[in-house]
Amino acid sequence: MSTAILTGQPVPGSSLEGDLRSLGFDVRIASGAAEAEALLAGVPAGQRVAVVDPRFVGHVHALRLALTDPRFPLAAIPGAVTAQQAGRQALTRAMARENSAAGETPAGGTTLVDSLADRVVAALDTEGAAVHRPELGSLVATVPGDPQGRNEARQAVAAVDDEAIRLKSAVKARDGFFTTHFVSPYSRYIARWCARRGLTPNQVTTASLLTALIAAGCAATGTRGGFAAAGVLLIASFVLDCTDGQLARYSLQYSTLGAWLDATFDRAKEYAYYAGLALGAARGGDDVWALALGAMVLQTCRHVVDFSFNEAHVVGADATANTSPTAALSDKLDSVGWTVWVRRMIVLPIGERWAMIAVLTAVTTPRITFYALLIGCAFAATYTTAGRVLRSLTRKARRTDRPAQALADLADSGPLTEALTAPLTEPARRLPGFAAPAVALLGGLAVVATAALTGFGGPWTIAAACLYVLTSALAVARPLKGALDWLVPPFFRAAEYGTVLALAAHAEVNGALPAAYGLVAAVAYHHYDTVYRIRGNAGASPRWLVRATGGHEGRVLVVAVLAALLTAAQFTVALTVLAVAVALLVLVESIRFWASAGAPAVHDEGEPA
């Protein structure tokens, strides 16, 4: 239960008490500043508490945005301030400081001369506390000082439909063309329907996952009817995927579990569907597992490019604003309306991608679907990566320790790299600025090309994997602060996944590529989990987990050695065992983390790709 303290008697005719109760607050009325402070002290420390001016006039949704969002320890709008457990001490200190300054009359009780809530917020600002102030737009939130002002404020409230604003704000401001024009116009109403029936975003997220898994099962039947049903269900899953985030924003239901579910289920749905398509194709006599694995590798590498670039170009305390000519051109193009949609579509974001996959599944074959997906994703990856490279080369930025550490965490370097980093630190410092991504690229190309060109079971892949271990250690031996150092993690991902794909394809036995698919999926989950921990300011995956899974360079070496020492059939079994072991390790640790109280209470906004 939450508690709202009104710092005086409510104005006659005001709906404030009812509005606060509708938001889940137990309303208590103080007769003055001293009693408000006493009531604040009496609220249990674990409860949310709000201090509200009784003269407040505004929309219910303005109060909802300020007083019920679980992501912020302290939040305020004019006439109201709230604190969760993490912000209670700061609120108590500010209230105590302002209590002595509150004007009181000795006779007839005490009355507040001005808004105590606003003075408390000012005191919090002076103290340096981080007070969240939600963007209200056309919503009204004010404390009128006289009857005329109150009447004008009430008229302003009546003139704006806060429910329409609440529905509109439930939709992300930046979304793809398909999502904006073909899903969000009705999914927001599904979100409201869910909210009014007490459904949670986590339940909708789970429904989206189950729908996608059923779609994958339909695709796995290998029948035309199954493919058609799979396409329809995949679109339905995407609608629910949009709905869960809109429900979270509509009802301000953000949670640690929701962060984990929403951040990982999108990838689980898409990659499970790829597997379903591959199984369905196999039933019809067409082996497309290599295409399915290639699509997963390409899509995952696209995402790590997005994540690494964003981490390396943090605007604010870590880097200067983007002043590159490329960014200026991008901003200029954004001013031309139609180019915005074209540029959002050609990067094949999740809405466009799933719509394409669904339609092609229903009307063509899995092989054609994968060909179209690979071509589209390859073009999108080339377009976005080239633009980001140009931005990086022409941008004047101050690169600091925070993004460098994030890139090091994203690199996922294991014990072999750790052992070699110290002796390679001094040589690495003598290399030019572009050396880190160049060395990572060359080492990755060497091991993937060797695995792809020398066949299965040869010793050359082991030699190339050893070289890869050395180049990987050299690439991260110095802080990743160079203009293009954000390319290092994507190069590592491409090298590891590409090596597994090449060796499994050359094994040429049933089950090798599905086993490789499972291993890459497990490792990719680990990499996504690391990304979302960093995005939630909760740090990267624990070092014991990275060491236990071998790091990217350790896994490459292990897979190369297994291919050289085992027969193709034994290699398939070994890949399966490795996939299960990695999956168990990363899933158990991930669930432990996201279910703990220390996980960030955020809701994933979805990836642009």
Side-chain angles (χ1 to χ4, degrees):
M1 188 68 177
S2 302
T3 300
I5 300 171
L6 294 182
T7 58
Q9 288 296 326
V11 175
S14 172
S15 63
L16 181 58
E17 284 187 81
D19 292 342
L20 290 170
R21 289 193 176 96
S22 72
L23 297 177
F25 285 92
D26 175 28
V27 180
R28 302 180 185 179
I29 301 174
S31 59
E35 187 175 355
E37 183 179 357
L39 288 174
L40 176 62
V43 176
Q47 286 188 11
R48 174 189 287 274
V49 62
V51 178
V52 184
D53 192 295
R55 298 165 298 174
F56 175 87
V57 176
H59 287 100
V60 177
H61 191 49
L63 288 170
R64 180 182 292 107
L65 289 173
L67 305 185
T68 67
D69 196 322
R71 296 172 296 174
F72 307 102
L74 293 164
I77 54 175
V81 59
T82 185
Q84 297 190 77
Q85 182 175 2
R88 280 292 296 276
Q89 289 187 355
L91 180 64
T92 300
R93 289 194 302 268
M95 175 73 82
R97 184 185 309 171
E98 292 305 313
N99 185 21
S100 60
E104 298 184 349
T105 56
T110 59
T111 51
L112 303 180
V113 173
D114 57 356
S115 177
L116 175 60
D118 289 344
R119 295 204 317 274
V120 167
V121 173
L124 288 169
D125 289 336
T126 302
E127 187 178 313
V131 181
H132 171 67
R133 291 174 170 83
E135 294 185 9
L136 298 180
S138 57
L139 294 174
V140 176
T142 185
V143 180
D146 54 65
Q148 181 179 349
R150 172 169 293 277
N151 289 333
E152 292 174 352
R154 286 176 172 172
Q155 292 174 7
V157 169
V160 176
D161 185 353
D162 69 336
E163 178 60 20
I165 293 175
R166 186 182 178 190
L167 266 178
K168 184 178 179 180
S169 62
V171 178
K172 286 192 295 184
R174 289 181 59 86
D175 244 331
F177 180 85
F178 179 79
T179 305
T180 299
H181 296 285
F182 293 93
V183 177
S184 291
Y186 58 88
S187 61
R188 69 184 73 182
Y189 295 101
I190 299 176
R192 182 172 67 181
W193 183 90
C194 292
R196 290 178 175 177
R197 282 153 184 80
L199 298 177
T200 67
N202 294 347
Q203 291 171 328
V204 178
T205 301
T206 303
S208 176
L209 174 67
L210 293 175
T211 304
L213 293 179
I214 295 173
C218 290
T221 63
T223 63
R224 177 48 50 196
F227 287 144
V232 173
L233 288 171
L234 187 63
I235 292 296
S237 175
F238 180 67
V239 172
L240 291 174
D241 182 56
C242 294
T243 301
D244 67 353
Q246 292 166 358
L247 175 58
R249 289 181 287 273
Y250 180 84
S251 57
L252 299 182
Q253 296 183 70
Y254 303 96
S255 68
T256 55
L257 179 60
W260 177 64
L261 293 177
D262 198 56
T264 57
F265 278 13
D266 278 353
R267 305 287 78 80
K269 289 180 286 189
E270 188 166 3
Y271 299 157
Y273 191 81
Y274 292 173
L277 279 177
L279 288 169
R283 286 179 177 272
D286 189 12
D287 187 355
V288 297
W289 274 106
L291 297 178
L293 181 51
M296 180 167 65
V297 169
L298 182 54
Q299 190 57 34
T300 305
C301 289
R302 282 188 65 199
H303 278 134
V304 78
V305 166
D306 294 336
F307 299 141
S308 295
F309 179 81
N310 290 336
E311 287 300 325
H313 294 81
V314 177
V315 176
D318 296 324
T320 58
N322 197 336
T323 56
S324 71
T326 308
L329 176 61
S330 177
D331 293 339
K332 186 175 181 179
L333 288 174
D334 282 344
S335 65
V336 182
W338 63 271
T339 65
V340 174
W341 293 118
V342 171
R343 294 168 67 209
R344 291 187 192 179
M345 291 174 67
I346 62 177
V347 300
L348 208 63
I350 188 171
E352 276 74 2
R353 189 168 69 252
W354 282 31
M356 180 185 74
I357 295 171
V359 172
L360 291 177
T361 298
V363 302
T364 65
T365 65
R367 180 171 290 274
I368 293 175
T369 301
F370 280 124
Y371 279 151
L373 181 62
L374 286 167
I375 292 170
C377 287
F379 175 81
T382 302
Y383 170 79
T384 55
T385 305
R388 287 168 177 171
V389 168
L390 289 174
R391 286 174 182 243
S392 299
L393 291 174
T394 56
R395 186 186 192 203
K396 298 177 181 178
R398 175 171 54 84
R399 307 184 189 281
T400 58
D401 293 336
R402 186 233 181 246
Q405 182 58 52
L407 292 179
D409 292 333
L410 290 173
D412 192 35
S413 300
L416 295 177
T417 292
E418 286 183 342
L420 292 171
T421 296
L424 291 175
T425 299
E426 192 58 35
R429 288 176 179 170
R430 299 194 189 102
L431 296 175
F434 61 85
V439 169
L441 175 61
L442 291 175
L445 286 176
V447 69
V448 174
T450 303
L453 299 177
T454 61
F456 180 81
W460 289 107
T461 304
I462 295 180
C466 291
L467 175 63
Y468 177 70
V469 171
L470 181 63
T471 57
S472 298
L474 184 60
V476 297
R478 66 184 185 190
L480 297 175
K481 297 182 180 181
L484 296 178
D485 283 1
W486 56 272
L487 287 169
V488 171
F491 287 156
F492 287 164
R493 298 295 84 76
E496 179 182 358
Y497 302 160
T499 301
V500 175
L501 170 57
L503 291 175
H506 278 302
E508 296 182 347
V509 295
N510 289 333
L513 280 167
Y517 191 94
L519 175 59
V520 172
V523 175
Y525 177 86
H526 164 58
H527 291 146
Y528 280 113
D529 187 61
T530 300
V531 164
Y532 288 111
R533 291 181 191 229
I534 294 173
R535 288 177 61 178
N537 293 318
S541 299
R543 285 305 303 169
W544 72 261
L545 179 64
V546 177
R547 294 189 183 103
T549 55
H552 68 96
E553 79 287 358
R555 290 187 295 269
V556 167
L557 183 58
V558 167
V559 172
V561 170
L562 291 175
L565 298 180
L566 304 177
T567 66
Q570 292 170 334
F571 177 71
T572 299
V573 174
L575 280 186
T576 303
V577 172
L578 188 59
V580 171
V582 172
L584 287 175
L585 278 173
V586 299
L587 279 173
V588 169
E589 164 55 23
S590 179
I591 293 171
R592 182 209 63 78
F593 170 76
W594 290 102
S596 71
V602 297
H603 192 86
D604 177 43
E605 289 296 308
E607 299 307 323

